[in-house]
Amino acid sequence: MCHQVSTMEASGIINVLNKKLAFLSGGKDRRSGLILSIPLGCEQTNMDELSDTLDYLLSIPSEKCKARGFTVIVDGRRSQWNTVKTVVLMLQNVIPAEVSLVCVVKPDEFWDKKVTHFCFWKEKDRLGFEVILVSANKLTRYIEPSQLTDDFGGTLDYDHGDWLSKRLVFEKFTKESTSLLDELSLINDGAAPDKSADVLLPSFDPEAVLQTGHELLSELQQRRFNVSEGGGRGGGGGPAAPTWRPMEEELLAQPQVMKLLDSLREKYTRYQEVCRQRSKRSQIHDVHAKVTQVVTWLQGPGSELLKTQRAIGDSMRAAQALQQKHEEIESQHSEWFAAYVELNQQIGALLGGGDDEEEEEAGELKALQRQLSDVCYQQAALLESRQNVLQAAHAFHAQTQELSQQLDALLAMLCADAAPADGSQIQHGLKLLEEKLQTVEVGLASLRQKGALLLEQTCNGDDGENAAAEQRDNVRQIRDVMDDMQMRKQRCEDMVDVRRLKMLQMVQLFKCEEDALQAVDWLCELLDALLKTHVRLGDDARDTKALMDKHKKFVDVAQSTYDYGRQLLQATVVLCQSLRCATRSSGDTLPRLNRVWKQFAVSADERQHRLQLALAFHQHADVVLQDEHVEAESLDQVAASAKALLDRLGMAVIFPDGSEQRFGSSSGDDAATAAECIRERLLMVEERRLQLQETQLDGEPRPQDQVLHAVLDVIGEEAGEKEEEEDQDRDRRDLQEDGVLQC
């Protein structure tokens, strides 16, 4: 009876297969029949699960392999006899003609008495196969040790978990590859290269299925040619023999995997070509639509946005607002420019991957690329030109605002009524004024430069009647601003010239006032020098005349100083009238100048009078001392002039304001020295008188003797008064020193 191949899958009974109720180890008997092992455990075996396991295992080998028959090893060493008997009888129904031999592995002593009750060899005709009872150590009489697993003392390696996992992979690959081949055939047969519809996607990922198939085939090939050294474990040192694995080609159909992989690669390659052609046509269609969309927007709404933005604003804030609006327009364009870049890359990729047979498509793509590039570059150039205009306009308005502020500051400085305290402040203000004017000139030059650049940028715009009209308005606005700034700057320059002249006059005014004060100081110094140092009256007439000449020159210098001060004060009056301000010097400097000059004039007159008296005294004394014959009248004149001069020296100078001042230093040494010189000269005259008296014949006192005694008395009195004054001055200085020390 022929066994039908089951359509059962391992994934459906995975829990049952994991129990290892039966397995094909890959070993073979001496007739090359497969060995089916049924390990029975201590617990009761579920016959339904065992039946399912056997059905699945018997569906694996090929018909050719099944024709060689199976050798079934029933391991009953840990099971009961009834279970073993049930399993052997079940094999009759599950495996009809495929079973050649059933080897029941018995325990060593447990079944000896029960075997006689049921002899399998007597039931051979009814069962259809031979059943033998054999111990584990005698199983090698029927099967080679290299074909037995280690459970039965053999050397054949078997890993049930590994076998089951590989079996699941094989069935999954077979199922997915078969389904995928059918789907790819339908897709490839129904696809047309010129259609742009989306390609149907298969249920499974072809790449993943191919990867699984290659890994599975590699595993199968490795197992197929794996040979154990020494004939496997426990080979006893015999010759090396191949150890067959449970996943060899007879069990997992390696040719079937290879055939499925070849078919799948062929179908998948055809599928990829269909997808490529359809994808390319779809990409070309999409590129054409997107290019049309980009060009339409740039030539339509994009251009209209730029046409509405041609103004340059009338201030820096307006220019900034226009720049923000332009940035918004650029932001809108950036999305389309990004689409252009992406489309350009897509077209480049399509052109780079094209074949010689697709020249028509390449020409279409190049035309689209050329059209897109022309439109985008043109629109980008317009955006850049507009951006340059706005930047130039912003710089122009910023410079205009800065220049206007500079002009306002200069005008405020010119309109301010400054009242400088001295000439240094005026010089500082004049320097600051010049610096501000220079700053304005630099700012105006920068404005002209920026205005010329803005005019150039504005005139380089697009053509058109509306554009030309707006350009004319912009040009007129720019020139009006520059003309207005030029006029304001010119007005400020005129005012600066007036202010400069006024400030220079004020500098001259302060200079005249300072020089007038200096003239007063000089005159005070001359007065002080006159009173303190001009005390000498001369030792003789010639010396006195020399002092008179010096005094005249000294007075001339003082007169020149006074006249110079008066001229300066008159100049200040004229400058104040020109500057329309109150006279600054008449209230203080002029009265001081006049007061000091009057004091000097009084002192100079007194000095002149004293010198004249001294000259007369010295002249009379010279006559008396040099002539041999002297008249008494001459002697009397000398005595009278000496007395008048000494009296004059003792007098103080009275100024017009009632104040007094004496000639000489505070110690009085200079005045005393001058008086002493006069007294010494007078003594010489008196000695001359005595000489004359000795020459007279009679000894009667004469009037001359009386005069002589009177003169001597005067000299004595004056000397006493002089000593008394010196003592008083000395006491006064001592008291002052004592007071200073006490303080």
Side-chain angles (χ1 to χ4, degrees):
M1 183 172 66
C2 183
H3 176 68
Q4 299 294 329
V5 178
S6 175
T7 59
M8 187 181 301
E9 295 181 356
S11 60
I13 57 172
I14 184 65
N15 295 329
V16 176
L17 293 177
N18 280 327
K19 294 180 180 181
K20 197 181 178 182
L21 299 177
F23 62 89
L24 290 169
S25 64
K28 295 182 180 181
D29 57 18
R30 290 184 173 90
R31 297 168 302 164
S32 298
L34 295 177
I35 297 176
L36 175 63
S37 301
I38 303 176
L40 298 178
C42 299
E43 298 178 357
Q44 185 66 30
T45 302
N46 190 326
M47 294 303 166
D48 292 335
E49 292 180 351
L50 180 58
S51 177
D52 292 339
T53 301
L54 294 174
D55 287 341
Y56 177 73
L57 292 176
L58 293 174
S59 66
I60 295 175
S62 62
E63 295 298 329
K64 181 180 179 181
C65 187
K66 292 178 183 180
R68 291 196 292 266
F70 291 90
T71 293
V72 181
I73 300 176
V74 180
D75 187 3
R77 288 175 292 179
R78 294 181 299 172
S79 181
Q80 299 178 1
W81 167 250
N82 291 332
T83 302
V84 174
K85 184 174 62 174
T86 302
V87 171
V88 173
L89 293 176
M90 186 184 66
L91 293 175
Q92 183 183 9
N93 298 324
V94 177
I95 313 174
E98 287 84 355
V99 177
S100 299
L101 175 65
V102 177
C103 295
V104 178
V105 180
K106 64 178 182 177
D108 293 338
E109 298 178 356
F110 185 70
W111 287 346
D112 290 344
K113 297 180 180 180
K114 295 183 179 181
V115 171
T116 56
H117 297 285
F118 183 82
C119 297
F120 287 108
W121 63 272
K122 295 180 180 180
E123 301 294 331
K124 178 179 180 181
D125 295 336
R126 185 171 64 84
L127 292 174
F129 48 81
E130 181 182 359
V131 180
I132 60 174
L133 293 176
V134 64
S135 299
N137 56 1
K138 296 180 181 181
L139 190 60
T140 55
R141 296 178 181 178
Y142 305 96
I143 304 172
E144 295 292 335
S146 62
Q147 304 300 316
L148 292 174
T149 61
D150 57 356
D151 296 336
F152 305 109
T155 61
L156 182 64
D157 289 335
Y158 175 73
D159 186 348
H160 186 70
D162 180 67
W163 172 84
L164 183 57
S165 63
K166 295 300 186 294
R167 186 64 193 176
L168 291 172
V169 172
F170 171 75
E171 290 184 355
K172 181 176 179 293
F173 168 71
T174 304
K175 179 181 178 182
E176 291 181 354
S177 60
T178 304
S179 176
L180 185 59
L181 285 172
D182 295 338
E183 292 179 0
L184 291 178
S185 297
L186 291 174
I187 293 173
N188 294 338
D189 294 339
D194 56 347
K195 293 183 179 179
S196 61
D198 294 336
V199 179
L200 297 176
L201 297 176
S203 302
F204 303 100
D205 183 10
E207 296 287 346
V209 175
L210 285 171
Q211 179 68 21
T212 303
H214 285 300
E215 293 176 356
L216 178 60
L217 181 60
S218 176
E219 181 69 22
L220 291 176
Q221 291 173 348
Q222 182 180 2
R223 289 172 176 270
R224 174 67 180 83
F225 297 105
N226 188 13
V227 179
S228 298
E229 295 181 359
R233 291 179 303 175
T243 301
W244 300 101
R245 301 301 183 189
M247 294 299 287
E248 63 177 317
E249 59 181 353
E250 292 182 349
L251 295 178
L252 293 178
Q254 177 179 344
Q256 181 181 356
V257 176
M258 296 176 64
K259 183 178 180 180
L260 287 173
L261 285 174
D262 293 339
S263 299
L264 188 58
R265 278 193 291 267
E266 180 182 358
K267 296 291 185 181
Y268 183 53
T269 302
R270 172 61 181 163
Y271 171 76
Q272 287 179 322
E273 180 62 22
V274 171
C275 291
R276 189 190 68 80
Q277 293 178 357
R278 287 193 173 184
S279 175
K280 185 172 183 179
R281 289 305 309 168
S282 177
Q283 290 178 4
I284 293 175
H285 179 74
D286 292 344
V287 166
H288 190 281
K290 291 180 180 179
V291 168
T292 302
Q293 185 180 7
V294 172
V295 170
T296 301
W297 190 89
L298 291 178
Q299 292 181 342
S303 298
E304 292 299 325
L305 284 174
L306 285 178
K307 290 180 181 179
T308 58
Q309 298 294 320
R310 292 195 178 96
I312 60 173
D314 56 356
S315 63
M316 187 171 65
R317 182 177 298 178
Q320 290 176 347
L322 291 174
Q323 282 184 323
Q324 292 178 356
K325 180 64 177 177
H326 183 72
E327 289 176 358
E328 295 176 359
I329 296 175
E330 284 185 337
S331 177
Q332 296 178 13
H333 279 76
S334 62
E335 300 177 0
W336 297 97
F337 288 151
Y340 156 71
V341 173
E342 183 179 356
L343 287 173
N344 199 31
Q345 293 176 352
Q346 291 180 3
I347 294 174
L350 291 174
L351 290 173
D355 301 332
D356 296 337
E357 300 176 356
E358 300 173 352
E359 294 182 0
E360 182 178 354
E361 294 179 354
E364 180 182 357
L365 289 173
K366 290 180 180 180
L368 288 174
Q369 188 179 34
R370 196 161 42 248
Q371 179 187 11
L372 182 63
S373 298
D374 293 342
V375 173
C376 288
Y377 279 119
Q378 180 181 4
Q379 197 71 6
L382 293 176
L383 285 172
E384 183 180 5
S385 176
R386 175 60 180 169
Q387 179 66 25
N388 293 336
V389 170
L390 291 177
Q391 290 178 353
H394 183 272
F396 176 76
H397 291 307
Q399 184 62 35
T400 301
Q401 180 176 342
E402 182 180 359
L403 179 59
S404 179
Q405 294 174 354
Q406 294 172 354
L407 289 170
D408 291 340
L410 179 58
L411 184 62
M413 183 178 179
L414 293 172
C415 295
D417 189 10
D422 52 23
S424 61
Q425 291 187 1
I426 297 177
Q427 293 289 351
H428 177 71
L430 188 60
K431 180 180 178 182
L432 183 61
L433 190 66
E434 296 293 343
E435 290 177 353
K436 286 187 176 294
L437 182 60
Q438 182 65 27
T439 303
V440 168
E441 292 178 353
V442 173
L444 183 60
S446 178
L447 180 66
R448 293 194 187 99
Q449 182 180 2
K450 289 180 173 58
L453 178 61
L454 180 57
L455 288 173
E456 181 182 357
Q457 295 288 346
T458 303
C459 296
N460 290 336
D462 53 356
D463 299 330
E465 184 177 354
N466 295 332
E470 293 181 358
Q471 286 180 4
R472 288 193 296 271
D473 294 340
N474 293 335
V475 170
R476 187 183 305 108
Q477 175 185 350
I478 296 168
R479 290 177 176 170
D480 290 345
V481 170
M482 290 193 295
D483 293 341
D484 180 63
M485 291 295 107
Q486 178 64 36
M487 292 178 62
R488 291 181 59 186
K489 187 253 184 182
Q490 185 62 44
R491 288 196 297 270
C492 287
E493 280 186 345
D494 296 340
M495 296 179 67
V496 166
D497 292 338
V498 175
R499 173 56 64 90
R500 185 187 297 111
L501 178 60
K502 182 177 180 180
M503 296 180 76
L504 290 176
Q505 289 179 345
M506 293 184 70
V507 170
Q508 188 175 4
L509 172 63
F510 280 110
K511 182 63 175 174
C512 290
E513 290 180 350
E514 292 177 0
D515 292 346
L517 291 174
Q518 184 64 45
V520 173
D521 294 338
W522 288 343
L523 198 57
C524 290
E525 292 175 359
L526 292 174
L527 174 62
D528 187 66
L530 176 63
L531 292 174
K532 291 181 179 181
T533 62
H534 292 208
V535 180
R536 287 184 67 251
L537 298 177
D539 297 334
D540 51 24
R542 186 176 59 183
D543 192 11
T544 302
K545 288 182 180 180
L547 290 176
M548 292 180 69
D549 293 338
K550 291 182 179 179
H551 178 70
K552 183 178 183 303
K553 294 179 180 178
F554 188 79
V555 172
D556 292 340
V557 171
Q559 181 69 46
S560 300
T561 304
Y562 172 71
D563 295 339
Y564 176 66
R566 292 280 299 182
Q567 293 174 0
L568 291 174
L569 292 176
Q570 291 176 358
T572 58
V573 173
V574 175
L575 289 173
C576 288
Q577 292 176 353
S578 175
L579 294 172
R580 297 180 182 179
C581 62
T583 303
R584 300 164 55 91
S585 303
S586 59
D588 185 18
T589 307
L590 183 60
R592 283 186 58 198
L593 179 65
N594 292 329
R595 182 174 64 255
V596 172
W597 172 249
K598 290 179 181 179
Q599 292 177 355
F600 182 86
V602 171
S603 300
D605 291 343
E606 178 64 21
R607 171 66 175 170
Q608 180 67 24
H609 187 65
R610 292 186 180 186
L611 289 173
Q612 290 175 355
L613 289 176
L615 179 62
F617 168 73
H618 286 302
Q619 287 177 347
H620 292 146
D622 290 339
V623 171
V624 171
L625 294 176
Q626 293 176 2
D627 292 344
E628 294 181 358
H629 302 284
V630 179
E631 298 293 335
E633 294 178 358
S634 298
L635 293 174
D636 295 339
Q637 289 179 355
V638 172
S641 61
K643 185 176 184 306
L645 179 58
L646 291 174
D647 292 340
R648 198 74 179 186
L649 291 176
M651 296 173 59
V653 180
I654 301 175
F655 296 141
D657 57 357
S659 61
E660 296 181 358
Q661 182 70 35
R662 292 182 178 275
F663 278 92
S665 60
S666 59
S667 62
D669 295 339
D670 297 335
T673 301
E676 186 65 22
C677 291
I678 299 300
R679 292 190 185 97
E680 291 179 356
R681 186 81 169 171
L682 184 59
L683 287 177
M684 294 175 63
V685 173
E686 293 304 320
E687 290 178 355
R688 176 66 174 163
R689 182 189 295 272
L690 292 176
Q691 292 177 359
L692 293 175
Q693 289 178 353
E694 290 177 355
T695 58
Q696 291 180 356
L697 296 178
D698 53 6
E700 293 294 331
R702 291 172 297 176
Q704 292 84 348
D705 297 334
Q706 296 177 358
V707 173
L708 175 62
H709 290 296
V711 171
L712 293 175
D713 292 338
V714 171
I715 294 174
E717 291 176 358
E718 289 180 354
E721 292 176 358
K722 184 62 177 179
E723 291 177 357
E724 184 178 358
E725 289 178 358
E726 291 179 355
D727 292 338
Q728 291 177 358
D729 292 338
R730 191 178 301 107
D731 294 338
R732 190 184 304 109
R733 286 196 299 272
D734 294 339
L735 291 175
Q736 289 178 354
E737 290 177 356
D738 293 340
V740 171
L741 292 176
Q742 290 177 1
C743 293

